[in-house]
């Protein structure tokens, strides 16, 4: 891969060269790969088509989850959440052992114990992990959404900014059907004095 030096900054493809901007600056590489038509029709690329189909399904499931929880994620500063959610959805899809390869999906994978475990504890904001803010043990009733934090002592169990006198917890109970894409969310906010 070559770096482009000069006053002209190009992006796009010209003949057999692709120009693009990366973290290292403007880069250029030769166009390579197999044609789209060959991937879509050649029997040798059957596994590639299966993988592509499953990845697309996992990415769509991830987008559904992110969109459903959007109001909670609006102030998050995690610019990698899309790829992290897609990665977890792909792991969950892999627990679908009933569908044939190329048709495995998140909905079936999430019905397994392993699929649920893969999603449990996922932090939507990698820059504000819950376990780094709340030190008290808590439980969540998955049927009602009720959160229980017994014996919470805010001054000892919550990491809050210096000078803060009040904190609040906002929770959401999200129900998503990855088969039908139906979703519903309920919010609750609990103010506390510290």
């Amino acid at each position: 891969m070559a770096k482009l030096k000069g006053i002209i900054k190009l992006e796009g493809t010209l003949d057999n060269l692709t120009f693009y901007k990366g973290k290292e600056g403007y880069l250029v590489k030769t166009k390579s790969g197999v044609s789209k038509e060959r991937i879509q029709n050649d029997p040798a690329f059957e596994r590639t088509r299966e993988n592509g189909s499953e990845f697309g399904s996992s990415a769509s499931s991830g987008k559904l989850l992110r969109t459903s929880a959007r109001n909670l994620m609006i102030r998050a500063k995690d610019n990698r959440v899309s790829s992290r959610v897609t990665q977890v959805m792909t792991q969950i899809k892999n627990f679908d052992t009933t569908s044939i390869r190329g048709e495995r999906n998140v909905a079936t994978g999430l019905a397994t114990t392993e699929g649920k475990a893969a999603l449990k504890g996922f932090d939507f904001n990698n820059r504000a992990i819950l376990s780094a803010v709340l030190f008290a043990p808590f439980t969540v009733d998955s049927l009602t959404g009720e959160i229980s934090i017994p014996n919470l002592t805010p001054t000892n169990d919550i990491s809050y900014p210096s000078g803060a006198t009040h904190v609040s917890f906002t929770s959401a109970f999200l129900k998503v059907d990855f088969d039908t894409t139906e979703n519903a969310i309920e919010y609750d906010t609990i103010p506390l004095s510290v």
Side-chain angles (χ1 to χ4, degrees), residues 22-122:
K23 290 181 181 178
E24 299 84 24
Y26 287 89
L27 306 170
V28 61
K29 65 180 182 178
T30 58
K31 191 175 176 183
S32 62
V34 182
S35 72
K36 179 180 175 181
E37 293 76 26
R38 184 169 176 208
I39 290 173
Q40 289 176 335
N41 300 310
D42 190 336
F45 287 93
E46 179 67 27
R47 184 56 51 98
T48 303
R49 290 190 294 275
E50 292 170 355
N51 290 341
S53 173
E54 289 183 355
F55 178 78
S57 174
S58 296
S60 294
S61 294
K63 183 177 181 183
L64 173 62
L65 182 61
R66 288 190 331 274
T67 303
S68 301
R70 182 182 179 280
N71 288 343
L72 285 177
M73 297 172 45
I74 227 161
R75 291 181 301 203
K77 303 291 186 219
D78 185 354
N79 59 358
R80 306 270 307 144
V81 71
S82 295
S83 60
R84 292 188 314 103
V85 169
T86 300
Q87 182 181 28
V88 170
M89 293 294 121
T90 300
Q91 291 169 357
I92 293 169
K93 173 263 313 170
N94 290 340
F95 294 116
D96 175 359
T97 57
T98 59
S99 302
I100 61 170
R101 188 169 178 90
E103 296 179 17
R104 296 179 297 177
N105 62 75
V106 170
T108 306
L110 196 55
T112 67
T113 304
E114 298 87 359
K116 289 181 181 91
L119 190 56
K120 186 176 183 175
F122 181 82

Side-chain angles (χ1 to χ4, degrees), residues 117-142:
L119 190 56
K120 186 176 183 175
F122 181 82
D123 280 299
F124 282 92
N125 186 355
N126 215 16
R127 294 186 176 197
I129 296 172
L130 182 60
S131 62
V133 177
L134 176 64
F135 305 113
F138 64 93
T139 58
V140 179
D141 185 327
S142 61

